[in-house]
Amino acid sequence: MPDRGGGPPSGPRIRVGRPSRRVRTLLLTLGVLAVLLMAFTMFAGFWTDWLWYRSVNYSSVFTTTLWTKIGLFFVFGLLMALAVGFNIWLAHRLRPPLSAMSMEQQNLDRYRMGIAPYKKWLLLGITALVGLIAGASASGQWRTWLMWVNGVPFGQKDPQFKLDVSFYAFDLPWYRFLLGFGFAAVIISVIAAALTHYLYGGLRVTSPGARATAAATGHLSVLLGVFVAFKAVAYWLDRYGLAVKSSDFKATDNWTGLRYVDANAYLPAKTILFCIAVICALLFFATLWRRTWQLPVIGFGLMVLSAILIGGLYPALVQKFQVQPNEQAKEAPYVEKNLAATRDAYGIEGTQVSEYPGRSETKDKTKLRDDVDAAASVRIMDPNIISPTFQQLQQMRNYYAFPTNLDVDRYAKDGKDQDTVIGLRELNLAGIPKKNWINNHFRYTHGYGAVAAKGTQVDPEGRPVFTESDLPSEGDLGKYEQRIYYGEKTTTYSIVGGPQKEIDYSDDTGEKTFSYKGDGGVDLSNPINRAAYAAAFSEPQILYSGAIGEGSKILYNRTPKERVEAVAPWLTIDGDAYPAVVDGRIQWIVDAYTTTNGYPYASRTTLGDTTADSLTAANDQRAVVAQQNQVNYIRNSVKATVDAYSGDVKLYQWDTKDPVLKTWMKAFPDTVKDKSEISGELMAHLRYPQDLFKVQRELLTRYHVKDANTFLSGSEVWQVPDDPTNKSGDAVPPYYLSMKMPDQKQQAFSLTTTFTPNGRDNLSAFMSVDAEAGTGDYGKIRILKLPTSTTVDGPKQVQSQFNSEQDIAESIRLLRGGDSEVEYGNLLTVPLDGGLLYVEPVYVRGGDLKYPLLRKVLVSYGGNTAFEDTLDEALNKVFGAQATEPEPPEDTGEDPGQDTTEPPTSTNPTVREALGDAQDAFDAGQKALEQKDLTAYAEAQKDLEEALQRAEDAQAKADQGAGDQNGDDKASPSASPSKEAGGGSDTG
C-alpha cells in the first residue's frame, strides 16, 4: 500500500558527518594564522610608533601618553565592569524563591534554564564588554586627566565666584567627565539590575499581586537614589558652568559668561534645584526601610516640576519683564566683565587704538613723495602670485617644485634688513621621469636648495631679482646644507642610507648621487623592524628588497606640521610653516598655540572659521587651524623648528607666563627648551604668526571698544573685508610688510590688515602688529581708527576705482590682449601723513609665457590714482613730484606725472641716431595706445627694441675702440696726435 504519512519521500539518505581530521586541522591552522596576523599588525603599529618617537628623541611623549591611556582604560573600565557586574550579581542574589508560577514566569523559566549552565560566563562577558567600552572612552580623556593632575594656577580669579581660572580650565572638565561616567555607570546598572530582577521574578509585569519584591524595590531605589544624587552634583557644577556657558546674545556670537538673567535667575535656580535633588535622593535611599515608592516618586516629580518652573519658566519671566525693558542698564555690568575677560584671553588687552584723520593736510607734494620711502618698504613681489615664476625660472628639473604660496622673511644685506620672498626647491614625485617603487622611495628622496628674491624690486623684464638661485643654490645666504628631506610637499616615505644610491641633483656634468648620512629616520637593518614597517605600510617589498641593507633608514612623517603635532599632541599648530636658513641649516619654523575653551567670561571663537581667508580657500597646503575647534583662550606659547635635512624637532618656550604651557611642561617634562636657548640667528627669523593675528583681528571687530553701552549698541562693529583682488568672497589675508606706524620712529617688520564698517565698504580702521621677534614692541597691536563723520575709501572701493578709471581699464584691456592673463597682487595699505597709500602690483602671463611677470603698479592716495610700469613712476604721478635725490636731475619742465624717460645723450653719431630712432618708436607706441591700435603698438615696440639694440651695439663698439686706444697710449706715450685722431671715433 502506498505510504500515506506526512514524512519525506523514501530515497537514498545523505549522511552529514563531521569534517575530516585534515580539514579540521587546516581550519584550525588558518584560524591561528589569522589571529597571529591580526596580533602582529597591532604590534607593528605600536612598535613603529615607538621606533619613530625614539628616533626623534621624544620617547617620553610616547610613553607618557601611552601609560596615561592604559591607566585610564583599566581604572575606568574596571570601575564600570565592577559596578555593572556587582549589580547583576546582587539582583541575582536577591531573587525570590520560586513559587506557584504564572504564565509569565513559565515563559521566563525557559530562558532561566537556558542560561543556567552559562551564568558565570554570561556575567563575565557582559561586564567585560561594558568595561571595554567604558575603558576605551575614558582613555580618550588623557588630555583632561593630565591637565587636571598637573594644573598650574592662572593667578587670576573670575569676577562671579572668585575662583582661579585654572578651576574652569583644568578642574571643571575633569569633574564633568567623572560625573558623566557616574551617570553612565548608574544607568547601565539600573538597566542590567532591572532585567535580572525581571528574569528571576523580582519584577513582574503581567502577573497578579505585587509588581516588585521588597528586595528588588530596595535595590533599584538605591540605584535611582545614586542617580538623583549625581544630578544634585550636576546642578551644583552647573552653577560654575554658567561662567563658561555659551549663549546667543545680540551683542556677539558665542557669548560666554553670566548675563543678568544667569546671575539673578539661573544661579539661584540651580542652587534650589541642588537642594531639592539632595532631598529627593534621600527619599529614594529611605525605601530601604519604608519599602514603598510613594515618597521617592513624589520627590522625583517635584524635582522635575521644579526644573521646569524654576529652571526654565522663571528665568524666561525675568528676561521678559526685567531685562528687556531696560536691557542696556541690566546687561552693562556683565558686558564689562566679558569685555575684560575676552581681551585678556586673546592677548588683545594691550591694543593701542588711535584716532587717524584718513586724509593728509600736507601741501608739499615733494615732501609727501619723499616720506613714502620712510613709511614703508613697499613689497611688489607678491608671494602668493609669483610661485609659478620661481617654478619656471628656478625649478631646474621636473622632479622639483615650489609651494603654491611662498613666504616672506627678512635677511640682512650690508647691515640692512631686506624683505625677502623665499621658497624651497622641494621634491615633486609627480615629475620624476619613470615611476616605480625604487624610484619613488629610494632614488628620488629629497629636494635641493632655497631660492630667494628681493621683495621690493624686479628686473627690467618684471621678473624677481634673485638673491639666492641656481642649482646648487648660490647667493646671499652663504654656505648651508641644501638637501631637503623634510618639507611641506614631502608626504611619502623614503628609504635612504643603504646600498641604493640617491639622486642628489643634476648639473652640466650629469647626475650626482648621494647617500644620506643624517641622524633622522628609523633603522631598517633589523629584520623585526623591516617586518613591522612592511605590515604598517602594507608594503611587503620592505621585508625582502635587496635595496635595503646595512645603514638603511626609513623617513616618514616628513611635513613640519606632522612632526610637531606628533611630538607635541597638546599643541594647536599654525597652518603655515615657513623656511629659514639658520646657522648653516634650512630650518622650518612652526608656530604652535596652547588653547582652552574654559576661560570664564571670554567669548568663544571657532578657529577653523576665523583663520580661513582667500588663501586658505584656494590652497590646500595652507591649512586652516583646527577646523571645528572652539576656544576662548589662545597663546602663541611655543616656537618650533624642524631641520629640513635631519628632521630634528625642537620646541622652544616662547610665552614664559602662559599657565597652560606650564601645565603641559609639567606633564611632559624636558620636551620644551627654555627661551634662552633660541640662537640670535634663529631669533632674527621668528615672526608674529598669521593665524593668531587672524583670530585677534576677528575678535577686535567687536572688542576694540571698552565701553559696555557702545558694545551693546553695535554702532562700532567692524568686519574684515573680502579680498578685493579676486572674486572668491573670502576674507582678505593679512600681509607682512616692513612699515612705520605714526608713533614709530622707524620701519618695523609688521603684519597688517584693514577693517570696514559692518555691511559697508569704506575704511573704518587699519591694524598692524609688530611682527619682528626679539624687539621691545614685538606683539604690540596698533589700530588706527578713522573718523565716522567722513568716509575714506576701503580696499574694495579702491579696487573698484582702479577698474573703473577709463585709462586704467583700457590699459588692462590691452594687457589682456591675445592669450594674456592679468593677475592682481596683494593690495597693500600704508599709513602716510594722515592718509592711506594703496599699492597693488599687477602681473601678466602673456601668450606662451606660463608664469606671471610684473608689468604695472597701481597706486592710490588721496583720491589720485596711477597705473605705471614701475612703483617709482606711479608714486611720482600720484604725488605730482619726484623723490628728492642726492643730486637732483635738471628740471626739464616736463609734467612729472607723464612718462618722460629719455635715452641718455651721447656724442657718438651712430649712438645718437639709434637713440633718436628709439625715441621716435616710443612716441609712436604711445600714440598707438591712445588710438587703441594694437597692431601699430606691436610694430612700434619691435622698432623700439631694434633701435635700442643698435644703440647698445654701437656704444659697445665705441667703448672697445676707446679701450684699445688707451692701451696704446699707455704702451707708447709718444704716440703722435695724428695717429690718435685716426684711431677710432669720438666716444664722448
Side-chain angles (χ1 to χ4, degrees), residues 369-622:
R369 175 64 184 88
D370 290 341
D371 287 345
V372 173
D373 293 334
S377 298
V378 180
R379 178 173 45 74
I380 54 176
M381 285 282 94
D382 186 348
N384 309 309
I385 296 289
I386 64 171
S387 178
T389 309
F390 273 48
Q391 188 83 357
Q392 184 70 25
L393 301 179
Q394 289 296 318
Q395 179 187 23
M396 305 303 182
R397 295 291 184 270
N398 286 336
Y399 48 83
Y400 293 132
F402 291 92
T404 306
N405 299 105
L406 303 175
D407 289 289
V408 179
D409 202 348
R410 296 96 62 222
Y411 285 88
K413 178 68 174 177
D414 299 328
K416 183 178 180 182
D417 281 345
Q418 166 73 47
D419 285 4
T420 302
V421 178
I422 187 170
L424 299 188
R425 193 184 286 113
E426 294 191 47
L427 178 66
N428 175 30
L429 285 178
I432 64 176
K434 184 178 180 181
K435 294 182 181 179
N436 54 53
W437 190 64
I438 293 295
N439 279 347
N440 290 354
H441 300 289
F442 290 82
R443 287 179 56 76
Y444 295 91
T445 60
H446 59 278
Y448 208 99
V451 176
K454 294 182 179 180
T456 56
Q457 295 182 26
V458 293
D459 71 5
E461 299 297 322
R463 295 173 300 196
V465 177
F466 290 107
T467 58
E468 183 80 10
S469 58
D470 300 332
L471 184 67
S473 295
E474 295 180 347
D476 295 347
L477 301 185
K479 300 185 75 173
Y480 59 96
E481 175 54 70
Q482 298 198 15
R483 297 174 181 90
I484 303 161
Y485 282 89
Y486 297 86
E488 290 180 306
K489 287 182 170 291
T490 317
T491 56
T492 188
Y493 70 89
S494 289
I495 298 175
V496 297
Q500 179 65 58
K501 293 293 185 180
E502 312 161 43
I503 292 177
D504 202 23
Y505 65 91
S506 300
D507 59 14
D508 295 337
T509 62
E511 285 185 352
K512 308 293 183 183
T513 60
F514 181 73
S515 186
Y516 183 72
K517 299 289 190 268
D519 297 330
V522 178
D523 183 30
L524 285 183
S525 59
N526 185 326
I528 296 179
N529 292 357
R530 293 178 65 172
Y533 279 102
F537 289 176
S538 301
E539 183 50 74
Q541 293 187 77
I542 294 177
L543 186 59
Y544 56 77
S545 174
I548 301 175
E550 190 65 31
S552 291
K553 293 181 173 182
I554 184 168
L555 313 179
Y556 63 103
N557 286 353
R558 298 170 71 182
T559 67
K561 189 172 185 289
E562 281 180 321
R563 296 181 77 78
V564 177
E565 279 180 333
V567 302
W570 34 273
L571 289 173
T572 300
I573 310 302
D574 190 272
D576 184 31
Y578 60 98
V581 177
V582 178
D583 299 321
R585 312 279 285 202
I586 297 175
Q587 299 283 355
W588 289 99
I589 300 175
V590 183
D591 286 287
Y593 309 107
T594 49
T595 62
T596 180
N597 64 357
Y599 198 101
Y601 273 100
S603 290
R604 290 187 172 91
T605 187
T606 303
L607 291 181
D609 295 336
T610 53
T611 59
D613 57 30
S614 62
L615 293 185
T616 61
N619 179 17
D620 293 338
Q621 271 189 295
R622 183 65 177 88

Side-chain angles (χ1 to χ4, degrees), residues 287-302:
T287 57
L288 284 173
W289 296 275
R290 294 180 57 85
R291 304 295 184 180
T292 176
W293 290 89
Q294 186 176 5
L295 286 178
V297 169
I298 294 174
F300 188 78
L302 177 62

Side-chain angles (χ1 to χ4, degrees), residues 489-754:
K489 287 182 170 291
T490 317
T491 56
T492 188
Y493 70 89
S494 289
I495 298 175
V496 297
Q500 179 65 58
K501 293 293 185 180
E502 312 161 43
I503 292 177
D504 202 23
Y505 65 91
S506 300
D507 59 14
D508 295 337
T509 62
E511 285 185 352
K512 308 293 183 183
T513 60
F514 181 73
S515 186
Y516 183 72
K517 299 289 190 268
D519 297 330
V522 178
D523 183 30
L524 285 183
S525 59
N526 185 326
I528 296 179
N529 292 357
R530 293 178 65 172
Y533 279 102
F537 289 176
S538 301
E539 183 50 74
Q541 293 187 77
I542 294 177
L543 186 59
Y544 56 77
S545 174
I548 301 175
E550 190 65 31
S552 291
K553 293 181 173 182
I554 184 168
L555 313 179
Y556 63 103
N557 286 353
R558 298 170 71 182
T559 67
K561 189 172 185 289
E562 281 180 321
R563 296 181 77 78
V564 177
E565 279 180 333
V567 302
W570 34 273
L571 289 173
T572 300
I573 310 302
D574 190 272
D576 184 31
Y578 60 98
V581 177
V582 178
D583 299 321
R585 312 279 285 202
I586 297 175
Q587 299 283 355
W588 289 99
I589 300 175
V590 183
D591 286 287
Y593 309 107
T594 49
T595 62
T596 180
N597 64 357
Y599 198 101
Y601 273 100
S603 290
R604 290 187 172 91
T605 187
T606 303
L607 291 181
D609 295 336
T610 53
T611 59
D613 57 30
S614 62
L615 293 185
T616 61
N619 179 17
D620 293 338
Q621 271 189 295
R622 183 65 177 88
V624 296
V625 173
Q627 188 71 37
Q628 299 302 323
N629 193 7
Q630 272 210 338
V631 305
N632 66 354
Y633 173 91
I634 185 169
R635 290 290 186 272
N636 177 210
S637 300
V638 171
K639 301 284 188 181
T641 61
V642 177
D643 193 295
Y645 178 70
S646 68
D648 183 39
V649 182
K650 293 181 179 177
L651 307 175
Y652 296 97
Q653 182 183 15
W654 185 248
D655 189 332
T656 57
K657 298 179 180 178
D658 178 29
V660 181
L661 177 60
K662 292 178 180 179
T663 296
W664 287 118
M665 289 174 67
K666 279 182 64 179
F668 296 96
D670 302 323
T671 56
V672 181
K673 297 180 180 295
D674 192 81
K675 186 176 183 178
S676 61
E677 296 188 39
I678 298 176
S679 68
E681 192 167 347
L682 174 59
M683 183 70 77
H685 294 282
L686 298 181
R687 68 189 191 189
Y688 201 83
Q690 291 185 62
D691 285 332
L692 176 61
F693 183 76
K694 285 190 280 189
V695 171
Q696 290 174 325
R697 76 172 177 178
E698 180 64 30
L699 268 296
L700 283 167
T701 58
R702 290 155 293 159
Y703 286 91
H704 62 278
V705 301
K706 297 181 180 180
D707 177 64
N709 290 325
T710 304
F711 184 84
L712 283 167
S713 70
S715 61
E716 291 288 333
V717 174
W718 300 337
Q719 65 182 12
V720 179
D722 294 338
D723 191 342
T725 64
N726 58 60
K727 298 180 180 179
S728 67
D730 297 296
V732 62
Y735 296 121
Y736 286 107
L737 182 70
S738 288
M739 55 160 288
K740 182 177 70 172
M741 291 290 275
D743 65 324
Q744 292 179 296
K745 295 182 179 179
Q746 59 186 9
Q747 292 182 20
F749 190 64
S750 305
L751 193 53
T752 66
T753 192
T754 53

Side-chain angles (χ1 to χ4, degrees), residues 30-294:
L30 291 175
V32 171
L33 288 176
V35 171
L36 290 176
L37 181 61
M38 292 176 59
F40 184 75
T41 303
M42 295 175 63
F43 166 77
F46 164 81
W47 184 244
T48 52
D49 284 347
W50 162 249
L51 291 174
W52 187 86
Y53 276 96
R54 191 174 64 176
S55 72
V56 293
N57 299 316
Y58 282 89
S59 55
S60 63
V61 174
F62 179 81
T63 54
T64 299
T65 305
L66 178 65
W67 287 116
T68 302
K69 289 180 178 180
I70 290 175
L72 291 172
F73 176 86
F74 279 106
V75 169
F76 287 94
L78 188 61
L79 286 174
M80 180 65 78
L82 288 174
V84 175
F86 171 76
N87 282 286
I88 293 175
W89 172 84
L90 184 60
H92 179 265
R93 182 74 178 269
L94 297 175
R95 68 189 184 278
L98 292 177
S99 57
M101 295 175 55
S102 64
M103 186 61 68
E104 180 183 18
Q105 293 304 311
Q106 289 177 14
N107 292 332
L108 290 173
D109 192 50
R110 287 180 292 177
Y111 295 103
R112 288 193 288 264
M113 293 176 64
I115 66 174
Y118 311 105
K119 284 193 294 187
K120 290 184 179 179
W121 292 108
L122 188 60
L123 177 62
L124 288 174
I126 292 173
T127 55
L129 178 62
V130 296
L132 286 172
I133 295 173
S137 176
S139 65
Q141 298 292 325
W142 63 271
R143 290 180 177 86
T144 308
W145 161 259
L146 288 176
M147 293 183 79
W148 178 67
V149 78
N150 295 288
V152 171
F154 275 66
Q156 293 173 284
K157 295 183 178 181
D158 79 282
Q160 181 67 40
F161 301 102
K162 310 303 181 185
L163 296 174
D164 192 89
V165 173
S166 61
F167 171 80
Y168 302 93
F170 306 141
D171 299 343
L172 191 57
W174 179 249
Y175 298 151
R176 282 177 164 165
F177 163 71
L178 292 179
L179 189 61
F181 178 83
F183 275 126
V186 172
I187 291 171
I188 296 173
S189 295
V190 168
I191 294 172
L195 289 174
T196 305
H197 280 299
Y198 175 71
L199 182 63
Y200 287 97
L203 291 177
R204 301 179 180 89
V205 177
T206 61
S207 300
R211 299 298 184 188
T213 64
T217 300
H219 182 196
L220 293 177
S221 64
V222 169
L223 288 176
L224 291 174
V226 173
F227 177 86
V228 176
F230 281 149
K231 188 62 180 173
V233 176
Y235 282 133
W236 189 256
L237 289 181
D238 285 346
R239 298 169 68 255
Y240 303 109
L242 291 172
V244 289
K245 182 195 75 171
S246 288
S247 59
D248 294 330
F249 190 31
K250 69 177 185 180
T252 177
D253 298 330
N254 293 318
W255 169 277
T256 302
L258 286 84
R259 291 156 49 196
Y260 180 88
V261 70
D262 297 310
N264 295 278
Y266 280 110
L267 186 58
K270 296 293 183 183
T271 305
I272 294 171
L273 289 172
F274 163 76
C275 297
I276 293 174
V278 169
I279 295 171
C280 186
L282 294 175
L283 292 176
F284 272 105
F285 294 143
T287 57
L288 284 173
W289 296 275
R290 294 180 57 85
R291 304 295 184 180
T292 176
W293 290 89
Q294 186 176 5

